[in-house]
């Protein structure tokens, strides 16, 4: 007890001495203070670590402090990116309205003959006319589906420095049929929003005949894509190992016939291809019945 009392009195005297003379530092306080790094000239003040009190109105309504930057989230980044992409697309449409069509097809493949009206519709929808375009499939005299060459080449006059991850001036293009009709695209998007991707996928997997027909359509899509290549491009694809991306995948690059993936791709293949999947036929029936604006019946759950 006597030793404890002596230590307490010694600490009390040291604190009192330091309070009386701020410039004088006692050994006891130096031993208790944190070790400073060579770059740290002073101890951080406690006041700086305490956040400034927020105004009651700001705290109640969640108003951002004017001296603080709002946090950047993935949603804000995606919104700004989407706004920038729309602006770039509008600039491309405005700049490319009077430009001549540029094709980048291999030797021996003739480019399509496009009228100015069709080219304007494609530019308004995509912002450009694909350089690997082969032909245009129409619905009610409207450009609906673009049939594309399986390899996409960048024209010499439009080549830019390679981006990281880009495959160079030539790259595989497994999407043979590209949907561009704005009216039908909006209706098919409404079907997807109402959950018809999952419903058609369950219907496909529950019907053995439909599943076999879908598998045949996927196999034929890969073979058709591979057969569309010229002999030189086929050798190039084999050298670069693009067989899996062009020959061994199905409609729009789908790897499994049990998956529906995208109703736009399925319906575009239904319009342009010779051997079609039953999924494309089901989508056409849904559009004829106007299911894009109706609520579907509740499915019964079988236990």
């Amino acid at each position: 007890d006597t030793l404890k009392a002596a230590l307490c009195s010694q600490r009390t005297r040291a604190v009192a001495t330091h309070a009386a003379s701020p410039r004088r530092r006692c050994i006891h306080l130096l031993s208790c203070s944190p070790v400073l790094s060579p770059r740290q000239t002073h101890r951080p003040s406690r006041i700086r670590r305490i956040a400034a009190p927020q105004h009651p109105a700001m705290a109640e309504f969640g108003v951002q402090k004017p001296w603080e930057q709002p946090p950047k989230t993935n949603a804000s980044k995606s919104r700004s990116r989407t706004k920038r992409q729309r602006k770039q697309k509008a600039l491309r449409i405005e700049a490319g309205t009077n430009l001549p069509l540029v094709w980048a097809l291999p030797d021996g493949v003739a480019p399509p003959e496009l009228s100015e009206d069709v080219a304007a519709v494609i530019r308004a929808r995509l912002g450009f006319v694909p350089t690997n375009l082969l032909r245009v499939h129409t619905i009610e005299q409207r450009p609906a589906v673009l049939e594309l060459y399986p390899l996409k080449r960048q024209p010499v006059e439009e080549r830019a420095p390679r981006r990281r991850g880009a495959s160079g001036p030539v790259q595989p293009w497994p999407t043979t049929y590209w949907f561009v009709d704005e009216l039908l695209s909006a209706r098919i998007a409404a079907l997807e929003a109402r959950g018809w991707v999952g419903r058609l996928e369950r219907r496909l997997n529950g019907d053995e005949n439909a599943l076999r027909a879908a598998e045949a359509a996927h196999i034929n899509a890969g073979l058709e894509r591979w057969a569309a290549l010229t002999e030189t491009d086929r050798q190039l694809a084999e050298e670069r190992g693009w067989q899996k991306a062009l020959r061994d995948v199905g409609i729009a690059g789908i790897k499994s016939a049990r998956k529906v993936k995208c109703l736009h791709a399925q319906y575009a293949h239904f319009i342009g291809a010779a051997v079609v999947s039953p999924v494309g036929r089901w989508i056409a029936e849904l559009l004829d019945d106007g299911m894009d604006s109706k609520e579907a019946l509740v499915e019964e759950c079988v236990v």
Side-chain angles (χ1 to χ4, degrees):
D1 296 338
T2 306
L3 181 60
K4 187 182 296 185
L7 291 175
C8 291
S9 61
Q10 183 181 1
R11 181 175 299 179
T12 304
R13 287 195 303 270
V15 171
T17 305
H18 181 72
S21 179
R23 297 183 179 181
R24 183 181 177 183
R25 304 296 299 273
C26 65
I27 300 176
H28 177 72
L29 289 179
L30 286 175
S31 62
C32 296
S33 62
V35 180
L36 302 179
S37 63
R39 296 183 182 181
Q40 194 173 3
T41 58
H42 64 281
R43 286 190 304 169
S45 174
R46 241 182 111 207
I47 301 177
R48 295 178 183 177
R49 294 197 298 268
I50 299 176
Q54 192 176 18
H55 194 272
M58 293 183 178
E60 181 178 358
F61 297 103
V63 181
Q64 185 69 29
K65 298 178 183 179
W67 58 85
E68 290 184 356
Q69 294 294 333
K72 288 188 176 181
T73 60
N74 293 332
S76 61
K77 291 180 181 178
S78 63
R79 282 195 297 269
S80 61
R81 190 184 303 114
T82 304
K83 185 177 180 180
R84 184 170 63 253
Q85 289 175 351
R86 290 177 180 173
K87 185 177 180 180
Q88 292 175 355
K89 180 179 177 181
L91 292 176
R92 286 199 306 267
I93 294 173
E94 183 180 358
T97 302
N98 299 322
L99 292 179
L101 296 175
V102 179
W103 307 110
L105 295 170
D107 297 335
V109 179
E113 297 181 0
L114 290 184
S115 63
E116 295 182 359
D117 296 337
V118 174
V121 171
I122 297 175
R123 282 198 182 100
R125 181 61 179 164
L126 303 179
F128 61 95
V129 177
T131 58
N132 58 337
L133 178 63
L134 293 177
R135 61 184 57 88
V136 179
H137 299 271
T138 60
I139 296 179
E140 297 178 356
Q141 299 181 354
R142 299 193 316 267
V145 175
L146 307 182
E147 186 174 348
L148 306 175
Y149 189 72
L151 291 183
K152 185 178 181 181
R153 288 175 168 83
Q154 191 174 9
V156 178
E157 59 271 17
E158 295 183 1
R159 288 181 184 175
R162 285 185 57 182
R163 303 187 307 272
R164 184 175 62 181
S167 56
V170 183
Q171 58 183 347
W173 195 266
T175 304
T176 308
Y177 301 99
W178 198 348
F179 205 85
V180 294
D181 186 85
E182 189 171 2
L183 178 61
L184 287 177
S185 180
R187 296 186 62 189
I188 294 175
L191 289 176
E192 292 180 344
R194 293 180 182 275
W196 279 103
V197 175
R199 292 188 182 97
L200 294 182
E201 194 169 293
R202 288 189 291 271
R203 179 180 176 182
L204 177 65
N205 293 322
D207 190 344
E208 295 183 358
N209 296 329
L211 185 58
R212 283 195 294 267
E215 290 176 352
H218 280 279
I219 294 174
N220 187 80
L223 296 178
E224 179 185 0
R225 194 184 300 116
W226 190 255
L229 295 172
T230 62
E231 188 64 29
T232 305
D233 287 346
R234 199 175 296 116
Q235 293 177 1
L236 176 64
E238 291 176 352
E239 291 174 359
R240 300 195 178 184
W242 291 341
Q243 299 95 324
K244 185 176 181 180
L246 297 176
R247 183 188 61 192
D248 300 338
V249 295
I251 300 170
I254 300 177
K255 298 180 181 179
S256 175
R258 294 181 174 272
K259 298 294 183 180
V260 173
K261 186 180 178 180
C262 177
L263 300 187
H264 293 87
Q266 296 280 355
Y267 193 64
H269 184 269
F270 172 75
I271 294 174
V275 180
V276 298
S277 172
V279 179
R281 186 176 66 254
W282 296 341
I283 297 172
E285 295 173 356
L286 292 175
L287 293 176
D288 293 339
D289 296 339
M291 294 303 297
D292 55 311
S293 58
K294 299 179 182 177
E295 294 293 338
L297 298 177
V298 179
E299 297 181 359
E300 296 181 358
C301 180
V302 180
V303 181

